[in-house]
Amino acid sequence: PRSTLSSSSAASDVYKRQGINAEYGGPLVEFIPPFATNMPKTYSTKPKSLDKSAKARGSGLRVHFKNTREAASAIRGLPLKKAQQFLKDVIARKQAVPFTRYNGGVGRHAQLKNHPKCSSVGRWPKKSAEFLLGLLKNAESNAENKKLNIERLRITHIQVNKAQKLRRRTYRAHGRINAYMCSPSHIELIVEEKPESAKPKKDREIVKADDK
């Protein structure tokens, strides 16, 4: 005859092996996706002032690494509002993202004709722009909680790292199977409040005395 789990201790052992809490049926710990386990626990750099800065990051995001890296490089060092407007223009195809490193087979466009970073090579990575806009909005909300001046925030650090690839398969001719993997990304950014630049003093007019 088949054995049954009559005792509560035996049932709890089974639940524990399966990762289920016997009291409410939920997981024992918070589920962490396998592709997010290699995300660094700390940021790769520190802001100059913790009180005048805000952070945001995402791990294992399902967005292509190469496109996201180029889009992040385009907004590095920009004011927060200007970077948000640039990404919105990218989604609307009003401005293109210059591709400076991963530009093999990337076409040229007149929007980048006089761009200082590249020779007219670029694209409009819509999905990357949407993910970066979400992170910038997250950083803006964190800055508001710190009572920072949103108009003076500037992106001082933004970094895109490769995450662990997710494996799938695609079926080819003659019964073959090839790998079909995506390239997710880890993204982190820091915005800092910059002090107001001192306005240049106007040159005083030199009034010459009339010769008597």
Side-chain angles (χ1 to χ4, degrees):
R2 292 188 302 173
S3 61
T4 57
L5 296 176
S6 58
S7 63
S8 59
S9 60
S12 61
D13 293 340
V14 174
Y15 287 141
K16 191 175 296 184
R17 286 197 299 269
Q18 296 177 354
I20 301 174
N21 193 321
E23 295 182 1
Y24 62 94
L28 289 173
V29 294
E30 182 182 0
F31 174 71
I32 300 176
F35 51 83
T37 54
N38 59 346
M39 177 65 184
K41 295 182 180 180
T42 58
Y43 287 76
S44 60
T45 186
K46 295 182 179 180
K48 294 181 179 179
S49 175
L50 294 176
D51 297 332
K52 296 294 183 179
S53 62
K55 303 177 182 179
R57 69 174 181 176
S59 59
L61 303 179
R62 293 293 297 271
V63 60
H64 200 274
F65 164 74
K66 293 182 179 180
N67 292 341
T68 309
R69 185 266 170 196
E70 300 293 349
S73 178
I75 63 174
R76 182 180 292 113
L78 294 181
L80 178 63
K81 293 298 182 181
K82 188 175 181 179
Q84 290 175 333
Q85 185 59 46
F86 172 77
L87 294 175
K88 291 177 182 177
D89 290 344
V90 170
I91 295 174
R93 286 179 172 260
K94 295 180 180 179
Q95 294 191 61
V97 173
F99 276 53
T100 58
R101 177 176 296 180
Y102 302 106
N103 52 11
V106 180
R108 302 175 182 272
H109 199 272
Q111 290 182 357
L112 299 168
K113 183 176 180 180
N114 297 320
H115 200 279
K117 287 188 176 182
C118 69
S119 56
S120 306
V121 180
R123 284 176 177 168
W124 301 267
K126 179 181 178 182
K127 190 174 181 180
S128 299
E130 290 173 348
F131 273 77
L132 289 174
L133 269 176
L135 281 178
L136 290 178
K137 181 62 178 177
N138 193 347
E140 181 180 357
S141 300
N142 295 338
E144 289 178 353
N145 290 336
K146 288 188 172 183
K147 309 298 182 184
L148 301 181
N149 190 345
I150 304 300
E151 300 298 329
R152 295 191 307 191
L153 289 179
R154 185 178 292 269
I155 303 173
T156 58
H157 169 73
I158 184 168
Q159 180 174 310
V160 182
N161 297 327
K162 289 183 179 180
Q164 182 177 345
K165 292 188 175 182
L166 300 182
R167 301 188 65 88
R168 288 180 291 172
R169 60 175 63 180
T170 183
Y171 300 93
R172 310 303 298 273
H174 310 292
R176 294 175 299 153
I177 294 177
N178 284 5
Y180 199 77
M181 299 187 292
C182 68
S183 302
S185 307
H186 301 314
I187 309 174
E188 64 180 33
L189 62 90
I190 298 176
V191 294
E192 295 186 37
E193 180 181 328
K194 294 298 181 180
E196 293 187 46
S197 57
K199 296 182 179 179
K201 296 181 180 180
K202 294 183 179 180
D203 296 334
R204 288 180 291 179
E205 295 180 1
I206 300 176
V207 180
K208 295 182 179 180
D210 296 334
D211 294 334
K212 293 182 180 181

